[in-house]
Amino acid sequence: MEILYKVHNNLYVNLTNKCPYSCTFCLRQTMDRIGESGRLWLEREPSYDEVIAEFEKFNMDEYEEVVFCGFGEPTERFDVLIKVAEYVKKTYGKKTRINTNGVGNLVNGRDIVPEMEGLIDTISISLNNPHKDEYNALVRSKFGEKSFDEMISFAKECTRYIPNVVLTTVDTTISHEEEAECQKLCDEIGAAYRIRPWED
């Protein structure tokens, strides 16, 4: 199974294929790998011990950051994720990041944000679209219409506990006017805004 994989100078952690969203634009619909990875569809979810054992196969001096992002929503395995983040911090002193859809509190049925303090350096949240109706139509969340508001609330709370909070959209998928609306929304939240390049 491809548990850890390299993208640029970072090492990515693939913990799960579960996701509460069924996004219309999801890469999983057209490919089974990202960056220099092999096949990211997991046979089963790896245990904490299996993930830790994989780190021993890599020269961690070569990587700038450990990123929790695979072929699923990483907060679906939050309890394992946070233990792995703690291990990475204590063992390698590396910066850590989570790429998320921002509904981890709904996924876990509790407020997970305070648990990330001191263990997660950056959280990157997919904003996708500044308008609630269009966002909900794009992501097709199992949590329904409350997903957009939950994502915004999650981002606001993250600014209290995590040094770098980034909301992202993908280049060419929304208009420049909508990008300006996204920037304004991020300014109000106290988060950075990043337009990611489209990956075909």
Side-chain angles (χ1 to χ4, degrees):
M1 293 194 299
E2 194 86 5
I3 299 171
L4 303 182
Y5 63 101
K6 179 183 177 182
V7 178
H8 306 304
N9 296 321
N10 299 327
L11 193 61
Y12 279 55
V13 187
N14 185 29
L15 291 177
T16 185
N17 292 155
K18 293 178 185 174
C19 185
Y21 283 9
S22 180
C23 296
T24 58
F25 52 84
C26 185
L27 293 174
R28 304 195 309 177
Q29 298 174 27
T30 56
M31 61 182 68
D32 62 3
R33 63 195 69 227
I34 299 169
E36 299 178 30
S37 78
R39 190 172 185 272
L40 291 176
W41 290 111
L42 296 166
E43 300 159 18
R44 55 181 171 74
E45 293 184 333
S47 68
Y48 168 78
D49 289 335
E50 287 177 307
V51 177
I52 297 312
E54 286 296 307
F55 278 99
E56 297 174 6
K57 300 176 183 179
F58 291 82
N59 178 2
M60 294 303 293
D61 292 337
E62 297 178 359
Y63 302 100
E64 295 177 5
E65 191 177 34
V66 172
V67 184
F68 295 91
C69 175
F71 252 22
E73 167 52 40
T75 61
E76 288 273 3
R77 300 285 312 285
F78 183 75
D79 291 343
V80 171
L81 183 159
I82 211 68
K83 284 178 64 180
V84 173
E86 184 177 18
Y87 170 83
V88 167
K89 282 288 180 191
K90 287 182 177 178
T91 309
Y92 306 111
K94 294 292 179 180
K95 291 187 179 299
T96 56
R97 168 164 47 106
I98 300 175
N99 291 356
T100 178
N101 57 28
V103 293
N105 288 347
L106 292 178
V107 168
N108 290 278
R110 70 177 194 275
D111 183 4
I112 63 173
V113 178
E115 299 173 50
M116 294 188 269
E117 186 173 19
L119 298 176
I120 302 300
D121 297 292
T122 301
I123 190 153
S124 179
I125 303 167
S126 297
L127 175 57
N128 296 312
N129 193 287
H131 304 130
K132 183 190 298 188
D133 291 345
E134 292 179 45
Y135 172 91
N136 288 329
L138 281 171
V139 303
R140 300 183 295 191
S141 170
K142 77 174 190 180
F143 298 113
E145 294 185 0
K146 62 183 175 182
S147 298
F148 179 85
D149 291 336
E150 175 64 27
M151 177 268 297
I152 296 297
S153 176
F154 181 85
K156 287 179 180 176
E157 188 182 7
C158 283
T159 64
R160 296 170 50 202
Y161 295 96
I162 299 171
N164 304 300
V165 180
V166 183
L167 272 63
T168 67
T169 59
V170 177
D171 187 27
T172 74
T173 60
I174 59 176
S175 68
H176 291 307
E177 290 78 13
E178 287 171 320
E179 288 174 351
E181 291 179 68
C182 289
Q183 182 66 67
K184 182 180 178 183
L185 185 59
C186 289
D187 291 343
E188 292 170 356
I189 292 171
Y193 176 46
R194 177 172 174 248
I195 302 170
R196 293 169 28 229
W198 170 256
E199 296 182 35
D200 193 353

